[in-house]
Amino acid sequence: MAYTDRVKQILSWYPSDNPGTLTNLARLLNTGTLAGTGKMVILPVDQGFEHGPARSFAPNPAGYDPDYHIQLAIDSGCNAYAAPLGFLESVAGKYAGEIPLILKLNNSDTLGKPEHPMSAVTGSVKDAVRLGCVAIGYTIYPGSGYRNEQYEALRDLIAEAKDHGLPTVLWAYPRGSISKEGEQAIDVISYAAQISAQLGAHVIKVKPPKDFLEQAEAKKVYEKFNIPTKTMSDRIRDVVKSAFNGKRIVIFSGGESKTTEDLLEEIRQIAAGGGFGSIMGRNAFQRPHDESVKLLKDVMNIFKNAK
Amino acid sequence: MAYTDRVKQILSWYPSDNPGTLTNLARLLNTGTLAGTGKMVILPVDQGFEHGPARSFAPNPAGYDPDYHIQLAIDSGCNAYAAPLGFLESVAGKYAGEIPLILKLNNSDTLGKPEHPMSAVTGSVKDAVRLGCVAIGYTIYPGSGYRNEQYEALRDLIAEAKDHGLPTVLWAYPRGSISKEGEQAIDVISYAAQISAQLGAHVIKVKPPKDFLEQAEAKKVYEKFNIPTKTMSDRIRDVVKSAFNGKRIVIFSGGESKTTEDLLEEIRQIAAGGGFGSIMGRNAFQRPHDESVKLLKDVMNIFKNAK
Amino acid sequence: MAYTDRVKQILSWYPSDNPGTLTNLARLLNTGTLAGTGKMVILPVDQGFEHGPARSFAPNPAGYDPDYHIQLAIDSGCNAYAAPLGFLESVAGKYAGEIPLILKLNNSDTLGKPEHPMSAVTGSVKDAVRLGCVAIGYTIYPGSGYRNEQYEALRDLIAEAKDHGLPTVLWAYPRGSISKEGEQAIDVISYAAQISAQLGAHVIKVKPPKDFLEQAEAKKVYEKFNIPTKTMSDRIRDVVKSAFNGKRIVIFSGGESKTTEDLLEEIRQIAAGGGFGSIMGRNAFQRPHDESVKLLKDVMNIFKNAK
Amino acid sequence: MAYTDRVKQILSWYPSDNPGTLTNLARLLNTGTLAGTGKMVILPVDQGFEHGPARSFAPNPAGYDPDYHIQLAIDSGCNAYAAPLGFLESVAGKYAGEIPLILKLNNSDTLGKPEHPMSAVTGSVKDAVRLGCVAIGYTIYPGSGYRNEQYEALRDLIAEAKDHGLPTVLWAYPRGSISKEGEQAIDVISYAAQISAQLGAHVIKVKPPKDFLEQAEAKKVYEKFNIPTKTMSDRIRDVVKSAFNGKRIVIFSGGESKTTEDLLEEIRQIAAGGGFGSIMGRNAFQRPHDESVKLLKDVMNIFKNAK
Amino acid sequence: MAYTDRVKQILSWYPSDNPGTLTNLARLLNTGTLAGTGKMVILPVDQGFEHGPARSFAPNPAGYDPDYHIQLAIDSGCNAYAAPLGFLESVAGKYAGEIPLILKLNNSDTLGKPEHPMSAVTGSVKDAVRLGCVAIGYTIYPGSGYRNEQYEALRDLIAEAKDHGLPTVLWAYPRGSISKEGEQAIDVISYAAQISAQLGAHVIKVKPPKDFLEQAEAKKVYEKFNIPTKTMSDRIRDVVKSAFNGKRIVIFSGGESKTTEDLLEEIRQIAAGGGFGSIMGRNAFQRPHDESVKLLKDVMNIFKNAK
């Protein structure tokens, strides 16, 4: 395994975790093209649950098949593949050990309309253990009227996961009592990263922030201390700093599908700003296979060459 | 360890607690510059969660790093360092045993807008035990529409903590069906201290009260019996008396950041009024390191020299 | 990871195991110099417990240090490192994820003199999970008056291990109501391999058998059907066949220390007979570091080049 | 499925069992060539554990492979295949649902020499459930100094099995404080069948009894009441009657290997005496594949044509 | 607290323990006269249970009083005080936090005569937590016919203690199938230290070894490799090396009472050989108070000045 000084340094930031949890965190960092670099690219496929199958898979119908995605993650050299229970059930026994798996424990569909943003917990830590996963995944909606319930359920899941040697990857999507634009405001994204780290997440996934400040109190501080937010790399730097001064792994989603060049430029900025990697779903699996493999490899190259 | 008559006296006020809980209470009292005096100064850093990272750490960016705060608490001779789960996870294994830790079990962010003031329980007693803490911390909002839920959750946490030999530090912030000014009214703060003691807290943390009376019924009594509330030390005396006639440890926060001289004057008044100490977050860690060490030492000196 | 057709074939022999258990079995097969070949060389260091520290470590005093052995296993490209609780406690948190670990759950010292051969269970499945192990190890003594107790304890441990995604490596040492020579008799070793497979072991470790038949009933059959037992490779073939026709992984210990050439010749025979690999303790760690690394690499080369 | 009046009648003899247990009993009765007849032929392969691999599989080396036996049971139209944990682990996931499986929960090897006949419990009811079995199997040694321990362990296993809807097939081998010849004495075998039924077995497996009376007290009665024991069918009738007047399913083993004609003649007698079927291991799997398929089909024909 | 580089180094040898366990280990190392030196002197008083009150306390009748011993440990600057449940119950609430306590979980009286050496478990981990202890204590008798039962009970206690943040101090007394002289033979004591470390003990307590070799196999090795055993410091060096090359804390008992000068000379040898400290019961508490305080301080000085 690619066991580098950088990986050892990253593991040293989690001094209170048991060796089992550190071992699985190391597996995440030591797999695929980016093994040993301290960077990671993860393929997540939860859109079938979140947006429905047609919106998710019609652009590249091969994606209706659960085998397609794990094979795509392997082919492109990803660090891990993340999905809800059903997708993992359909592949874990067949691909046992070929690539680290992350079980997304909660998921939200767009058929129901909860009073406040809220996912259902559709998998368990025991499922993750049984399926041979290296981590659990969980989504919080900071700003939601139900955020406390989400944080409290997460607390128990993190504790149970640690008991079984599993670290936690936390998806943090500010949503609810926040303006639409504010959901990706730099102050809000950085705040979400801080909350995620304080809740005990090992890896934090947020959206790339925009040059916008949502909260009046925060705006004053950003302006007073001249915290730069103009370029994407400026903002990435602020988010990473907000996650324990870079001592928690923060990775960024690609967000909505866009042109390849726009996407790669965004990745360059994320890498320049010190982002630890990308979690790229739709932008990958909705393209034809070879195109998405090429895209993911281009993304990995950018992170590999970042200083 | 500095095991003085004063510490023995304080411990004698908790005659129903088991030796494990008393031992950890003694550790709190027997650490740092104020060891053995019966006074305590605690560094709490939960603002990253409560106010967001920029508002908390931009004034002194070293504070983005979780190592900074525990080291600051050690450098300045504090009795303990208090923080939410994530901040403690990132340092407990590395600084094991260097300074008493208090795990703040519940925390409230300012992204969500709950109907009534309400924190999420983001840590557990088992976390506190695993991380080697000497106490749990918890926040109640007397006056909140959800205060009963908070009191009832606290009841279970205190009981579980005692089973594990951990005393409870209770943050009491009147809020909710109270006027903005009333949140620091002397009658309200004293009432909050009484509730905290009745709920079973070992250490009670309130804001320094103002010379204002919120509740009409209370106002009548304060006036009828000429309870002095003019000076800060008058009011501190009333709060301490309200916490079982001084038989519960009551400490005071510094509140919003202010000039050093204002702050030290307030501390002098707190000490003169019989306050057991300070819990000082933003006023400490938002200054440059050496300045905040000096400030904390000055604060400790005031308490040390108080009769 | 080296995920070859051979590894997939081997995993297909365990069709009733959950993906978690298969994933950890795959990790064992996909690590080190022999990754992907379906062969494995494991470094076990339990002699400190079994024979005492002087007999174990005086020949190469570097071995008194627990760090020495895991580093030796890494340096030489082993598939895994196996040891009792204490040795793993002292390294697991430091080397998290660098090499697969196997926790030997039971161990026998030579200070006590039990009525029948019997080990103490000195570690638990929960320990193995906490320490990030990929498998549990257990020793049975077929022939011992306490063998049924051993089989029954093993049954529970295998079941608990599977629930946590851990396969079982079984050390089978016939001992007790068997002649001294018979402990390595071909019929007895093959029988022990069969029992181990029937008990549910994923990997079986036995001693290299000798050309001797212990049991009268078995002798008749070996002679009647002309089962060849002359050469070591003949006998290895019989043992491997006895473990579900080669559908369980059978590896062989080196036994007592001997000359390098004798040892390598034995390995060649084991490889020629279809053995899946070696578990080599004393013969490795009692030599100086570079010598033992060379030896282990030579052993791996033999298995790598076996057809 | 062939759900006949006869099967309904047989199920009516177990009126206190829950529908789950009856359902699995019905599966046993409704599978294979004898489906619906109320008769059954089971292939058991536990000899690898009980006698060692060479004695068991050398005569027909294809039998070293665990796949061989389940396929043989399917090819020949057996009602079920019974084996210890390891053999079932290696096939259950691959052949799921192709033929009813019976997990033999306890097994005895011939390497150890226990003070009294005693098997080790090497599988659990949870294993049987996990592997999709239709029944558990268990062996008792009436006459053993440890028989009470065996009966008591069985009590718990039957209860646990019923909770999970699994009936129990009981192997009853009188052994211990009984003469060698007496182990198959008619009075002893009938007594063993009675004990088995009283212990709660759903299906009872005994050896074909011989015309010999072991116990003096029993001898007097057999003679006084002229219970016929001359022919095998006489004796089978006595055994079946002893198992609740035929209201428990009693099946017979073939015992040691013998000529085909002797064996078929014995089966004819068993069928004539009212035996419910045969459980035939060595006599089947030690012959070449096609020969043993033919033999098993001949056996089934005899039972099919029995009135 | 005296948090030195040496203490940090010692804690680094336990990389798999949670912060709670490390914190209590640090407390042991950071208390008393030897705080921060990495050395420790512990006062144990279990002789009342082990030898009866007259033999234990008549020489200095003040010792009949449980308050006497904890006060002696405080007065003399010990790192900790160790005793059975009753003695700790009688002082823990009164002296809460004044000195680290170790609850000796098992104890053996000399009224009963067990078949093999065996202690009764007379306290629990929950008792230790309730009483505010920093560690549990446990005694094993390697060589006893009941040693496996002792090791297995210890396994569960260590795991439960770790869950509650408590390290384990292990008393290892070889006894049973060992000659009287052999109980302190250098090979046996070193072997006992190795077993203790492998079982997961954090601190190991053995008797000072004698220049005698008990086991024939070990004798050969000591002679072949010229392991020096002449002087006490030679032997101490061998024992410390045998406990993970000095990476486990090994302390030595004073054994039977002797003259002060003999005792101090022995301590000098223990310190010169790299022993981590002493655990001194009878030799301390059976002298008049001031004499024993002086003795303990002299002992501490020797360890303090050892390089």
Side-chain angles (χ1 to χ4, degrees):
Chain A
M1 247 185 276
Y3 219 87
T4 62
D5 286 352
R6 177 59 177 164
V7 168
K8 290 204 173 199
Q9 183 188 32
I10 292 174
L11 296 181
S12 78
W13 299 334
Y14 304 82
S16 309
D17 273 301
N18 64 30
T21 306
L22 295 179
T23 295
N24 275 316
L25 194 55
R27 283 182 182 128
L28 254 181
L29 290 163
N30 284 332
T31 301
T33 302
L34 292 173
T37 62
K39 303 292 165 66
M40 57 172 71
V41 171
I42 294 172
L43 180 72
V45 189
D46 56 358
Q47 288 80 359
F49 197 111
E50 305 258 340
H51 303 155
R55 283 174 62 195
S56 304
F57 306 129
N60 174 25
Y64 279 100
D65 192 322
D67 285 43
Y68 179 77
H69 302 287
I70 188 168
Q71 194 60 54
L72 174 59
I74 294 167
D75 293 345
S76 53
C78 283
N79 294 66
Y81 169 59
L85 185 68
F87 255 18
L88 290 197
E89 289 278 4
S90 66
V91 298
K94 187 173 170 186
Y95 293 81
E98 289 202 50
I99 188 170
L101 301 178
I102 300 166
L103 179 59
K104 272 208 63 190
L105 293 194
N106 65 345
N107 292 283
S108 171
D109 67 71
T110 40
L111 287 176
K113 307 213 169 5
E115 201 185 343
H116 305 295
M118 185 71 183
S119 301
V121 180
T122 61
S124 69
V125 170
K126 288 189 78 167
D127 288 325
V129 169
R130 179 174 54 82
L131 296 170
C133 298
V134 302
I136 60 165
Y138 189 83
T139 299
I140 56 170
Y141 298 121
S144 165
Y146 293 140
R147 77 200 183 293
N148 283 1
E149 286 80 352
Q150 293 163 20
Y151 299 168
E152 296 184 357
L154 174 63
R155 178 199 64 217
D156 290 343
L157 291 169
I158 287 182
E160 189 187 353
K162 284 182 182 220
D163 267 359
H164 291 82
L166 296 179
T168 298
V169 180
L170 194 61
W171 275 245
Y173 294 133
R175 194 176 289 180
S177 56
I178 291 171
S179 74
K180 193 65 203 164
E181 200 176 4
E183 292 179 358
Q184 276 180 268
I186 173 60
D187 61 321
V188 167
I189 294 288
S190 286
Y191 197 166
Q194 166 76 205
I195 288 172
S196 299
Q198 293 288 12
L199 290 171
H202 295 82
V203 179
I204 297 158
K205 186 268 184 180
V206 290
K207 292 189 180 168
K210 294 187 174 156
D211 186 15
F212 175 77
L213 289 158
E214 166 83 357
Q215 297 195 294
E217 291 292 325
K219 196 169 169 24
K220 277 186 247 167
V221 173
Y222 273 82
E223 284 167 2
K224 179 174 175 192
F225 293 100
N226 287 313
I227 301 176
T229 61
K230 268 274 170 53
T231 68
M232 179 60 86
S233 63
D234 285 340
R235 297 189 295 272
I236 295 295
R237 206 166 286 119
D238 187 61
V239 175
V240 170
K241 199 176 55 184
S242 297
F244 292 6
N245 204 30
K247 289 185 175 170
R248 285 295 172 267
I249 299 168
V250 187
I251 58 179
F252 296 86
S253 58
E256 296 157 37
S257 53
K258 51 188 77 152
T259 72
T260 304
E261 192 35 48
D262 285 356
L263 196 104
L264 291 177
E265 179 50 31
E266 194 176 273
I267 298 293
R268 272 179 220 114
Q269 295 267 329
I270 290 171
F276 286 72
S278 283
I279 184 156
M280 191 175 287
R282 274 174 295 171
N283 277 301
F285 70 74
Q286 290 188 343
R287 288 160 207 246
H289 179 268
D290 294 355
E291 216 176 285
S292 66
V293 169
K294 183 177 180 321
L295 173 65
L296 287 164
K297 290 193 167 169
D298 287 345
V299 167
M300 291 173 206
N301 269 331
I302 292 169
F303 282 112
K304 208 167 190 171
N305 297 322
K307 85 269 98 181
Chain B
M1 245 185 277
Y3 219 86
T4 61
D5 287 350
R6 177 59 178 164
V7 168
K8 291 205 174 199
Q9 183 188 33
I10 291 174
L11 296 181
S12 77
W13 300 334
Y14 303 83
S16 308
D17 272 302
N18 64 29
T21 306
L22 294 180
T23 295
N24 275 315
L25 194 54
R27 284 184 180 126
L28 254 181
L29 290 163
N30 285 331
T31 300
T33 302
L34 292 173
T37 63
K39 302 292 164 67
M40 57 173 71
V41 171
I42 294 173
L43 180 72
V45 189
D46 57 357
Q47 288 80 0
F49 198 111
E50 306 258 340
H51 303 155
R55 286 173 60 194
S56 304
F57 306 129
N60 175 26
Y64 280 102
D65 194 320
D67 285 42
Y68 179 78
H69 303 287
I70 189 168
Q71 193 61 55
L72 175 59
I74 294 167
D75 292 347
S76 54
C78 283
N79 294 65
Y81 169 60
L85 184 69
F87 255 18
L88 291 197
E89 288 277 3
S90 67
V91 298
K94 188 172 170 187
Y95 293 80
E98 289 203 50
I99 188 170
L101 301 178
I102 300 166
L103 179 60
K104 271 209 62 189
L105 293 194
N106 64 345
N107 292 282
S108 171
D109 68 74
T110 42
L111 285 175
K113 304 209 172 7
E115 202 183 343
H116 306 295
M118 185 71 185
S119 300
V121 179
T122 61
S124 70
V125 171
K126 286 188 78 168
D127 287 325
V129 170
R130 178 174 53 84
L131 295 171
C133 297
V134 302
I136 60 165
Y138 190 84
T139 299
I140 56 171
Y141 297 121
S144 165
Y146 295 140
R147 74 197 182 290
N148 284 359
E149 285 82 349
Q150 294 163 18
Y151 299 166
E152 295 180 1
L154 174 63
R155 175 198 62 213
D156 291 343
L157 290 169
I158 287 181
E160 189 187 353
K162 286 184 179 213
D163 264 0
H164 291 81
L166 296 179
T168 298
V169 179
L170 194 60
W171 275 245
Y173 294 133
R175 193 176 291 178
S177 56
I178 290 172
S179 74
K180 193 66 203 163
E181 200 176 7
E183 292 179 359
Q184 276 180 268
I186 174 61
D187 61 321
V188 168
I189 294 288
S190 286
Y191 196 168
Q194 168 74 206
I195 288 171
S196 299
Q198 293 288 9
L199 289 170
H202 296 82
V203 179
I204 297 157
K205 185 267 185 181
V206 289
K207 291 189 180 167
K210 293 186 174 158
D211 185 16
F212 176 77
L213 289 158
E214 167 82 357
Q215 298 195 293
E217 291 295 324
K219 196 168 175 5
K220 278 188 247 166
V221 175
Y222 272 81
E223 285 166 2
K224 178 173 176 193
F225 293 100
N226 286 312
I227 300 176
T229 62
K230 268 275 171 54
T231 70
M232 178 61 85
S233 62
D234 285 341
R235 298 189 296 270
I236 295 295
R237 205 165 288 118
D238 186 62
V239 176
V240 170
K241 198 177 55 190
S242 298
F244 293 3
N245 204 29
K247 289 187 174 170
R248 285 295 173 266
I249 299 167
V250 186
I251 59 180
F252 296 85
S253 58
E256 296 157 39
S257 54
K258 51 189 78 153
T259 71
T260 305
E261 193 33 49
D262 285 358
L263 196 104
L264 291 176
E265 180 50 31
E266 194 175 272
I267 298 295
R268 273 179 219 112
Q269 295 268 328
I270 290 170
F276 286 72
S278 284
I279 185 157
M280 191 174 290
R282 274 173 296 170
N283 277 301
F285 69 74
Q286 290 188 341
R287 289 160 205 247
H289 178 267
D290 293 356
E291 217 177 284
S292 66
V293 169
K294 183 178 181 319
L295 173 65
L296 286 164
K297 290 193 168 170
D298 287 347
V299 167
M300 290 173 205
N301 269 331
I302 292 170
F303 281 113
K304 206 166 192 171
N305 298 322
K307 85 269 95 176
Chain C
M1 245 185 276
Y3 218 86
T4 61
D5 286 352
R6 177 59 176 164
V7 168
K8 290 204 174 200
Q9 183 189 31
I10 292 174
L11 296 181
S12 77
W13 299 334
Y14 303 84
S16 309
D17 273 302
N18 64 30
T21 305
L22 294 179
T23 295
N24 275 316
L25 193 55
R27 284 183 182 127
L28 255 181
L29 291 164
N30 285 331
T31 300
T33 301
L34 292 173
T37 63
K39 302 291 164 67
M40 56 173 72
V41 171
I42 294 173
L43 180 73
V45 189
D46 57 357
Q47 288 80 359
F49 198 110
E50 305 258 340
H51 303 155
R55 286 173 62 194
S56 304
F57 306 129
N60 175 25
Y64 280 101
D65 194 321
D67 286 43
Y68 179 77
H69 303 287
I70 188 169
Q71 193 62 54
L72 174 59
I74 294 167
D75 291 346
S76 53
C78 284
N79 294 65
Y81 168 60
L85 185 69
F87 255 18
L88 290 197
E89 288 277 4
S90 66
V91 298
K94 188 172 168 187
Y95 292 80
E98 289 202 51
I99 188 170
L101 301 177
I102 300 167
L103 179 60
K104 271 208 63 189
L105 292 193
N106 64 345
N107 292 283
S108 171
D109 67 74
T110 42
L111 284 176
K113 306 211 170 4
E115 203 185 341
H116 305 294
M118 185 70 184
S119 301
V121 180
T122 61
S124 69
V125 171
K126 286 189 78 168
D127 288 324
V129 170
R130 178 173 54 83
L131 296 171
C133 297
V134 303
I136 59 165
Y138 189 85
T139 299
I140 56 171
Y141 297 122
S144 166
Y146 294 141
R147 76 198 184 293
N148 283 2
E149 286 81 352
Q150 294 162 19
Y151 299 167
E152 296 184 356
L154 174 64
R155 176 200 63 218
D156 290 343
L157 291 169
I158 288 181
E160 189 186 352
K162 285 182 181 219
D163 265 0
H164 291 82
L166 297 179
T168 298
V169 179
L170 194 60
W171 275 247
Y173 294 133
R175 193 176 292 180
S177 56
I178 290 172
S179 75
K180 192 67 203 162
E181 200 176 5
E183 291 179 0
Q184 276 180 265
I186 174 60
D187 61 321
V188 168
I189 294 288
S190 285
Y191 196 166
Q194 167 77 204
I195 287 173
S196 299
Q198 294 289 11
L199 290 171
H202 296 83
V203 179
I204 297 158
K205 186 268 184 179
V206 288
K207 291 189 181 169
K210 294 186 174 157
D211 186 15
F212 176 78
L213 289 160
E214 166 83 356
Q215 298 196 294
E217 291 293 325
K219 197 170 175 5
K220 278 186 247 166
V221 173
Y222 274 81
E223 284 166 4
K224 179 174 175 193
F225 293 100
N226 287 314
I227 301 177
T229 62
K230 268 273 170 55
T231 68
M232 178 61 86
S233 61
D234 285 340
R235 299 190 294 272
I236 296 294
R237 205 165 287 119
D238 187 61
V239 176
V240 170
K241 198 176 56 185
S242 297
F244 293 5
N245 205 30
K247 290 185 174 170
R248 285 294 173 267
I249 299 168
V250 186
I251 59 179
F252 296 86
S253 58
E256 297 159 36
S257 54
K258 51 188 79 153
T259 71
T260 304
E261 191 35 48
D262 285 357
L263 196 104
L264 291 176
E265 179 51 31
E266 194 175 273
I267 298 294
R268 273 179 220 112
Q269 296 266 329
I270 290 170
F276 287 70
S278 284
I279 185 157
M280 191 175 288
R282 274 173 296 170
N283 277 301
F285 69 73
Q286 290 188 342
R287 288 160 206 248
H289 178 268
D290 293 357
E291 219 178 282
S292 66
V293 169
K294 183 179 181 320
L295 173 66
L296 287 164
K297 289 193 168 171
D298 287 346
V299 167
M300 290 173 206
N301 268 331
I302 293 169
F303 282 113
K304 208 167 189 170
N305 297 323
K307 88 270 91 178
Chain D
M1 246 186 278
Y3 217 84
T4 61
D5 286 352
R6 177 59 177 165
V7 168
K8 290 201 177 198
Q9 182 190 31
I10 292 174
L11 296 181
S12 77
W13 300 334
Y14 304 84
S16 307
D17 271 303
N18 64 31
T21 306
L22 295 179
T23 296
N24 275 316
L25 194 55
R27 282 190 183 122
L28 254 181
L29 291 162
N30 285 330
T31 299
T33 303
L34 291 174
T37 63
K39 302 290 164 68
M40 57 173 72
V41 172
I42 294 173
L43 179 72
V45 189
D46 57 358
Q47 288 81 358
F49 197 111
E50 306 258 340
H51 303 154
R55 285 173 62 195
S56 304
F57 307 128
N60 175 25
Y64 280 102
D65 194 321
D67 286 42
Y68 179 77
H69 303 286
I70 188 168
Q71 193 61 55
L72 173 60
I74 294 166
D75 292 347
S76 54
C78 284
N79 295 66
Y81 168 61
L85 185 68
F87 256 17
L88 291 196
E89 288 276 5
S90 66
V91 298
K94 188 173 170 185
Y95 293 81
E98 289 200 51
I99 187 170
L101 301 177
I102 299 167
L103 179 60
K104 270 208 63 187
L105 293 193
N106 64 345
N107 291 282
S108 171
D109 68 75
T110 42
L111 284 176
K113 305 207 170 9
E115 205 184 339
H116 306 294
M118 185 70 184
S119 301
V121 180
T122 61
S124 70
V125 172
K126 286 188 78 168
D127 288 323
V129 170
R130 179 173 53 83
L131 295 170
C133 298
V134 303
I136 60 166
Y138 190 84
T139 299
I140 56 172
Y141 297 121
S144 165
Y146 294 140
R147 73 198 182 290
N148 285 359
E149 286 81 350
Q150 293 162 19
Y151 300 166
E152 294 180 2
L154 174 65
R155 174 200 64 213
D156 291 343
L157 291 169
I158 289 181
E160 188 187 352
K162 287 185 180 212
D163 265 359
H164 291 81
L166 297 177
T168 297
V169 179
L170 194 60
W171 275 246
Y173 294 134
R175 191 177 292 180
S177 55
I178 291 172
S179 74
K180 193 68 203 161
E181 199 176 5
E183 291 179 0
Q184 276 180 267
I186 174 60
D187 60 321
V188 168
I189 294 287
S190 286
Y191 196 166
Q194 168 75 205
I195 287 172
S196 299
Q198 293 289 9
L199 289 171
H202 296 83
V203 179
I204 297 156
K205 184 267 184 181
V206 288
K207 292 189 180 168
K210 294 187 174 157
D211 186 16
F212 176 77
L213 289 159
E214 167 83 356
Q215 298 195 293
E217 291 295 325
K219 197 171 178 359
K220 279 187 244 165
V221 175
Y222 272 80
E223 284 166 4
K224 179 175 175 191
F225 292 101
N226 288 313
I227 301 175
T229 61
K230 269 274 173 51
T231 69
M232 178 62 86
S233 62
D234 286 341
R235 298 190 294 272
I236 295 294
R237 205 166 289 119
D238 186 61
V239 176
V240 170
K241 198 176 54 189
S242 298
F244 294 3
N245 205 28
K247 289 188 175 168
R248 285 294 172 267
I249 299 167
V250 186
I251 59 181
F252 296 86
S253 59
E256 297 158 37
S257 54
K258 50 189 79 155
T259 71
T260 304
E261 193 32 51
D262 284 357
L263 197 104
L264 290 176
E265 179 50 31
E266 192 175 275
I267 298 294
R268 274 180 218 112
Q269 296 267 329
I270 291 169
F276 287 71
S278 283
I279 185 158
M280 190 174 289
R282 274 173 295 170
N283 277 303
F285 69 74
Q286 290 188 340
R287 291 162 203 245
H289 178 268
D290 293 356
E291 218 177 282
S292 67
V293 169
K294 183 178 182 320
L295 172 66
L296 286 164
K297 289 194 168 168
D298 288 347
V299 168
M300 291 173 206
N301 269 332
I302 292 170
F303 282 112
K304 208 166 190 172
N305 298 324
K307 88 269 89 181
Chain E
M1 247 185 274
Y3 218 86
T4 61
D5 285 352
R6 177 60 176 163
V7 169
K8 289 204 174 200
Q9 184 188 30
I10 292 174
L11 295 181
S12 77
W13 299 334
Y14 304 82
S16 309
D17 273 301
N18 64 29
T21 305
L22 294 179
T23 295
N24 275 316
L25 193 55
R27 282 181 182 128
L28 254 182
L29 290 164
N30 285 331
T31 300
T33 301
L34 291 173
T37 63
K39 303 291 166 65
M40 57 173 70
V41 171
I42 294 173
L43 180 72
V45 190
D46 56 359
Q47 289 80 358
F49 198 112
E50 305 258 341
H51 303 156
R55 283 175 61 196
S56 305
F57 306 129
N60 175 24
Y64 280 101
D65 192 323
D67 285 41
Y68 179 77
H69 302 287
I70 189 168
Q71 193 61 55
L72 174 59
I74 294 167
D75 292 347
S76 53
C78 283
N79 294 66
Y81 169 60
L85 185 69
F87 255 19
L88 290 197
E89 289 277 4
S90 67
V91 299
K94 187 171 169 189
Y95 291 81
E98 289 202 52
I99 187 168
L101 302 177
I102 300 166
L103 178 60
K104 272 207 63 189
L105 293 193
N106 64 345
N107 292 282
S108 171
D109 66 72
T110 41
L111 287 175
K113 304 212 169 7
E115 201 187 343
H116 305 294
M118 185 72 184
S119 301
V121 179
T122 60
S124 69
V125 171
K126 289 189 79 166
D127 288 326
V129 169
R130 179 174 53 82
L131 295 170
C133 297
V134 303
I136 60 165
Y138 189 84
T139 299
I140 56 171
Y141 298 121
S144 166
Y146 295 141
R147 75 197 184 296
N148 283 1
E149 286 80 352
Q150 293 162 20
Y151 298 168
E152 295 183 357
L154 174 63
R155 177 199 63 218
D156 291 342
L157 291 170
I158 287 182
E160 188 186 353
K162 284 184 181 216
D163 267 358
H164 291 82
L166 296 179
T168 297
V169 180
L170 194 60
W171 276 246
Y173 294 134
R175 194 175 292 179
S177 56
I178 290 171
S179 74
K180 193 66 203 163
E181 200 176 6
E183 291 179 358
Q184 276 179 265
I186 173 60
D187 61 321
V188 167
I189 293 289
S190 285
Y191 196 166
Q194 166 78 204
I195 288 173
S196 299
Q198 293 288 12
L199 290 172
H202 295 83
V203 179
I204 297 158
K205 186 268 183 178
V206 289
K207 291 188 180 169
K210 293 185 174 158
D211 186 15
F212 176 77
L213 289 159
E214 165 83 357
Q215 297 195 296
E217 292 291 324
K219 197 170 176 3
K220 277 186 247 166
V221 173
Y222 274 81
E223 285 166 4
K224 179 174 175 191
F225 294 100
N226 287 313
I227 301 177
T229 62
K230 269 273 171 53
T231 69
M232 178 60 87
S233 63
D234 285 340
R235 298 190 295 272
I236 295 295
R237 206 166 286 119
D238 187 62
V239 176
V240 170
K241 198 175 56 185
S242 297
F244 293 5
N245 205 29
K247 290 185 174 171
R248 284 296 173 265
I249 299 168
V250 186
I251 58 179
F252 296 85
S253 58
E256 296 156 37
S257 54
K258 50 188 79 154
T259 72
T260 303
E261 191 35 46
D262 285 356
L263 196 104
L264 290 177
E265 179 50 29
E266 193 175 273
I267 298 293
R268 272 178 220 112
Q269 296 267 330
I270 290 171
F276 286 72
S278 284
I279 186 156
M280 192 175 287
R282 273 173 296 170
N283 277 301
F285 70 73
Q286 290 186 344
R287 288 160 206 247
H289 178 268
D290 294 356
E291 216 177 287
S292 65
V293 169
K294 182 177 181 323
L295 172 66
L296 286 165
K297 289 193 168 170
D298 287 345
V299 167
M300 290 173 206
N301 268 330
I302 292 169
F303 282 113
K304 208 166 190 171
N305 297 323
K307 88 267 94 183

